[in-house]
Amino acid sequence: NAGVMQNPRHLVRRRGQEARLRCSPVKGHSHVYWYRQLPEEGLKFMVYLQKENIIDESGMPKERFSAEFPKEGPSILRIQQVVRGDSAAYFCASSQLRGLVSNEQFFGPGTRLTVL
Amino acid sequence: SQQGEEDPQALSIQEGENATMNCSYKTSINNLQWYRQNSGRGLVHLILIRSNEREKHSGRLRVTLDTSKKSSSLLITASRAADTASYFCATDGDIQGAQKLVFGQGTRLTINP
């Protein structure tokens, strides 16, 4: 009964490099969400995806950040040309919506990105 | 604008006491959820309360929701050292398709043995 899986758990990058964060949702879940958490703060929504579609990317920075959730394989959050301000914990969540009655999202353990 | 905001930001109590945390939000909601996060770890879902519910219980947890005041409270009774964590409320919107959760800043709860 695997939950949401994220890898890597810790990622260190130098400024200017690319960071790729992977998320495998709960089996059977077709909705994926990415959130970012800065130290001592709450989570901030970034993007909501369904298979092969970006539904809501209102929380994504306009540049350097992209996300995908292909038909096969995990969801990927990609950060190009990382800067120190990108250092944060990135959490993925998934849900299996049953109508719009509830939206319980199951969270992964997060990827902690450190930019040197 | 900040949606969920928890109060207090930090709370320190003795083991066995009750802990109450509050959350306020600004817009209409479908549901409000409470999550726990241990230091450096992921989020654990505690309880979901729908907008047409006023109170919900789960073990030692009691959640209330007052939509007229746009506020919720989380009560942990008979606290234990293992309850030490940050607690977040999260809301989702009442607009069809608005599935993103909006989190508050969290309450950092410390239970002293």
Side-chain angles (χ1 to χ4, degrees):
Chain A
N1 186 19
V4 176
M5 298 172 66
Q6 290 186 249
N7 67 82
R9 294 290 303 276
H10 300 274
L11 182 61
V12 179
R13 285 286 177 267
R14 297 191 181 281
R15 281 180 297 170
Q17 292 184 319
E18 178 179 287
R20 278 184 181 244
L21 288 63
R22 286 176 289 278
C23 168
S24 297
V26 173
K27 188 176 180 181
H29 285 191
S30 56
H31 304 261
V32 166
Y33 313 79
W34 285 93
Y35 295 83
R36 177 166 63 178
Q37 184 180 33
L38 296 172
E40 306 299 321
E41 293 191 11
L43 278 69
K44 296 288 193 295
F45 168 80
M46 298 181 74
V47 62
Y48 163 39
L49 309 105
Q50 295 178 21
K51 285 284 188 182
E52 300 183 279
N53 285 304
I54 296 175
I55 307 301
D56 180 353
E57 56 181 347
S58 58
M60 287 273 273
K62 295 285 188 287
E63 297 176 350
R64 303 187 297 108
F65 285 72
S66 62
E68 63 177 9
F69 187 18
K71 188 177 180 181
E72 301 290 339
S75 175
I76 305 287
L77 178 67
R78 182 182 178 207
I79 311 172
Q80 296 178 289
Q81 299 176 325
V82 295
V83 301
R84 288 214 174 106
D86 297 332
S87 295
Y90 292 82
F91 290 94
C92 170
S94 73
S95 71
Q96 179 59 52
L97 298 178
R98 296 186 183 87
L100 292 173
V101 175
S102 70
N103 182 23
E104 182 178 344
Q105 296 182 15
F106 296 82
F107 281 80
T111 293
R112 277 152 188 83
L113 172 64
T114 302
V115 179
L116 301 177
Chain B
S1 62
Q2 187 74 12
Q3 177 72 326
E5 295 190 11
E6 285 89 346
D7 165 49
Q9 289 190 349
L11 179 62
S12 181
I13 61 173
Q14 293 299 120
E15 196 168 17
E17 293 180 341
N18 295 342
T20 300
M21 289 159 273
N22 302 297
C23 166
S24 61
Y25 57 92
K26 291 184 170 63
T27 63
S28 298
I29 61 171
N30 271 328
N31 309 293
L32 185 143
Q33 305 179 55
W34 284 91
Y35 288 85
R36 183 184 74 225
Q37 184 180 35
N38 291 86
S39 180
R41 308 291 292 274
L43 274 74
V44 174
H45 184 265
L46 296 177
I47 200 164
L48 179 152
I49 187 166
R50 298 196 174 95
S51 58
N52 61 355
E53 297 177 312
R54 291 296 166 258
E55 188 171 311
K56 206 160 183 180
H57 297 255
S58 177
R60 293 184 296 113
L61 306 180
R62 173 177 168 254
V63 168
T64 63
L65 179 64
D66 187 337
T67 52
S68 66
K69 295 181 180 177
K70 291 187 168 55
S71 67
S72 172
S73 68
L74 170 66
L75 168 67
I76 303 174
T77 60
S79 62
R80 305 167 181 169
D83 295 329
T84 294
S86 291
Y87 291 82
F88 296 91
C89 70
T91 56
D92 60 5
D94 65 352
I95 301 171
Q96 187 169 1
Q99 299 301 327
K100 63 187 179 187
L101 294 179
V102 181
F103 285 82
Q105 297 283 73
T107 292
R108 281 166 289 288
L109 176 65
T110 302
I111 308 300
N112 302 303

